């Protein structure tokens, strides 16, 4: 059932049960938000999404306001701009940026601060209240001096990942986000998926592995190779090297969601122990026989043509002597999906066997 409303003089057919914010976003009308995210349940706590409704007293949070027939709504007026500026300036009273960031773009919070030209009270200098990088979690960087208590991390952990690690502790001015019963994240059953980082609008939660590497030059969208789900994400690339992974909200399979391997298991790409040239046993090059026992001779580097010729010759010998099913192939999650696809085609159509497996199959 449709509901007829007017937003900024634009007639809109909204769906019954929609909020004003959802109806506005669906029709390309932007309303500032901080505590709201489309993946999470609305709480209406930051009040940045306030709107004016004709015939109503005061300003109302649009993220929790259901549409009703005949509503006339204004999303941007001088009075709303003043209210939003005041809200942001109140948040800035306890916001301290120590300069730690991995993002090349301004955060959601700073976007609205700059948009409404919000500034802390003149002469007031907010003080740090929390230790930076206070949690031993190997993947998640914590700086609660940037926290504005939007609780998006709490809701993401509970509603997206289902781990219930984050919560709200203390009261009044001492209110803060805590893990478990105010303990370390891993002790509170955190599985380091990074959902809280992805949904944080201020940078209070960030990716620890990327922190010392600066800001990326570009983002490259790719598909995770660790399993067959098909999650997509953005590789953060700097000087030709991957320095981090961030969620791609447009990913059709997973949206903002990623597991710990998808978000933080990328460091193998540039690992110093990774082989960059093929190696073969030395005895295969000079035509001698394999040594007996466990000593099979040393590995030596060769070019790709030499290595592939050796592999092809040996596979052909085994196939002729013992049949196709004497050959088995194991592929890797460290390869691309396309490479793994070609390997199974090679096994089945060239070798003639179904003996192929994957190190990370589900």
């Amino acid at each position: 059932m449709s509901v007829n409303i007017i937003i900024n003089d634009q007639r809109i057919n909204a769906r019954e049960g929609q909020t004003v914010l959802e109806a506005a976003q669906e029709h390309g009308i932007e309303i500032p938000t901080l505590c709201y995210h489309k993946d999470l349940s609305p709480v209406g706590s930051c009040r940045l999404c306030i709107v004016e409704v004709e015939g109503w007293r005061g300003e109302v949070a649009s993220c929790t306001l259901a549409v009703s027939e005949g509503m006339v709504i204004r999303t941007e007026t001088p009075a709303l701009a003043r209210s939003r500026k005041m809200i942001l300036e109140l948040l800035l009273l306890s916001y301290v940026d120590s300069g730690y960031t991995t993002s090349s773009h301004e955060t959601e919070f700073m976007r609205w601060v700059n948009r409404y030209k919000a500034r802390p009270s003149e002469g007031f200098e907010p003080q740090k209240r929390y230790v930076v990088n206070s949690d031993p979690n190997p993947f998640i960087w914590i700086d609660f001096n940037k926290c504005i208590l939007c609780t998006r991390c709490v809701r993401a952990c509970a509603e997206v990942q289902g781990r219930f690690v984050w919560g709200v502790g203390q009261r009044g001015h001492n209110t803060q986000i805590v893990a478990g019963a105010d303990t370390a994240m891993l002790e509170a059953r955190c599985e380091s998926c990074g959902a809280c980082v992805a949904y944080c609008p201020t940078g209070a939660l960030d990716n620890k592995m990327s922190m010392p590497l600066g800001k990326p030059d570009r983002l490259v969208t790719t598909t995770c190779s660790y399993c067959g789900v098909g999650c997509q994400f953005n590789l953060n690339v700097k000087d030709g090297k991957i320095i981090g992974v961030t969620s791609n909200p447009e990913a059709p399979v997973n949206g903002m969601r990623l597991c710990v391997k998808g978000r933080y298991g990328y460091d193998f790409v540039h690992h110093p122990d990774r082989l960059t040239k093929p190696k073969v046993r030395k005895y295969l090059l000079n035509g001698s026989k394999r040594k007996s026992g466990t000593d099979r001779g040393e590995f030596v580097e060769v070019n790709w043509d030499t290595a592939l010729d050796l592999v092809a010759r040996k596979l052909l010998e085994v196939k002729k002597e013992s049949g196709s099913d004497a050959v088995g192939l194991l592929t890797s999650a460290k390869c691309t999906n396309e490479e793994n696809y070609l390997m199974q085609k090679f096994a089945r159509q060239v070798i003639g066997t179904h003996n192929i497996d994957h190190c990370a199959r589900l």
Side-chain angles (χ1 to χ4, degrees), residues 81-101:
R82 287 193 298 270
S83 294
R84 288 178 181 143
K85 181 180 180 181
M86 181 185 69
I87 290 167
L88 292 165
E89 288 178 344
L90 288 172
L91 293 173
L92 285 170
L93 291 176
S94 58
Y95 176 89
V96 181
D97 186 355
S98 302
Y100 300 102
T101 182

Side-chain angles (χ1 to χ4, degrees), residues 43 51 133 217 225 246 264 310-311 334 355 359:
V43 293
V51 295
N133 192 22
D217 301 324
S225 62
T246 48
Y264 299 115
L310 277 171
V311 171
K334 308 302 188 293
N355 295 336
C359 69

Side-chain angles (χ1 to χ4, degrees), residues 27 52 71 78 93 116 145-146 178 205 245 250 254 261 285 316-317 321 338 346 348:
H27 289 80
E52 294 178 355
M71 265 186 173
L93 291 176
Y116 289 97
N145 297 293
K146 292 181 178 180
V178 295
L205 300 172
V245 163
E250 303 303 320
N254 58 302
K261 291 192 292 184
L285 296 176
L316 188 60
E317 288 176 7
E321 292 174 2
E338 292 77 12
F346 173 75
R348 294 185 170 98

